Amino acid sequence: PQLYKQMAIASDFDRVFEVGPVFRAENSNTRRHLCEFVGLDMEMSLGYHYDEVIEVLHAMFVHIFDGLETRCAPELAAVRAQFPSDKPRCAERPTVVHWEEAEAMLAEDGAEAPPGLSDLSTAQERRLGELVAAKYGVDLLLARAVMTS
């Protein structure tokens, strides 16, 4: 599928989205990792800056969340009866938290900040989400690191 998406981009398609099965052959014995799932993959050409990807992904997630709320209201009501939750809060524009700000928010909260650009632990991800929700009033965020090399 990757080759076909790249061929479509090379053929002057600006964006190509694919929804399909994904199979991973890795040892992932955690609740957060699935070996088989349906994935959404995207390729897109960049006009000016890679921030365009952030804009497209934000608009896509907002569209998905809004669509689920309207088209799947009965199903969401059934799920929320067992697992209470609210509609995801999304800003009109993407909420981007730069890595340094994320580290500072976690450190200020007393949580251990990740060293350098290493991955966040599950607890750190959850806490950062809570801190961003409290500070910005949103549930959808992008933590962004600027690579220097």
Side-chain angles (χ1 to χ4, degrees):
Q2 182 67 34
L3 173 64
Y4 299 118
K5 289 193 304 269
Q6 290 173 334
M7 288 172 58
I9 293 296
S11 299
D12 251 359
F13 282 83
D14 284 332
R15 298 177 186 151
V16 180
F17 296 86
E18 174 197 7
V19 177
V22 178
F23 305 96
R24 290 191 169 162
E26 59 187 44
N27 187 8
S28 54
N29 298 319
T30 69
R31 293 181 19 216
R32 296 187 45 164
H33 295 91
L34 299 174
C35 292
E36 298 180 23
F37 57 93
V38 176
L40 172 63
D41 197 4
M42 177 187 84
E43 293 284 332
M44 70 178 274
S45 60
L46 300 179
Y48 301 101
H49 196 273
Y50 61 82
D51 280 352
E52 296 168 46
V53 174
I54 294 170
E55 298 283 341
V56 170
L57 290 175
H58 177 78
M60 180 193 66
F61 278 115
V62 169
H63 179 77
I64 289 171
F65 294 151
D66 287 346
L68 286 171
E69 292 292 333
T70 56
R71 291 190 296 274
C72 300
E75 292 86 349
L76 280 175
V79 170
R80 287 178 173 150
Q82 290 186 322
F83 304 100
S85 66
D86 296 318
K87 176 183 176 183
R89 296 171 299 163
C90 303
E92 188 174 315
R93 305 264 311 137
T95 302
V96 178
V97 177
H98 292 272
W99 194 256
E100 296 80 10
E101 180 184 1
E103 287 178 323
M105 290 174 77
L106 288 169
E108 189 176 296
D109 185 60
E112 183 178 327
L117 292 175
S118 64
D119 285 341
L120 297 173
S121 69
T122 302
Q124 290 168 327
E125 282 184 19
R126 286 188 180 136
R127 188 61 189 143
L128 180 60
E130 291 167 355
L131 294 169
V132 169
K135 183 174 182 177
Y136 296 107
V138 297
D139 299 310
L140 177 63
L141 71 114
L142 174 83
R144 176 178 174 178
V146 177
M147 299 305 194
T148 58
S149 60

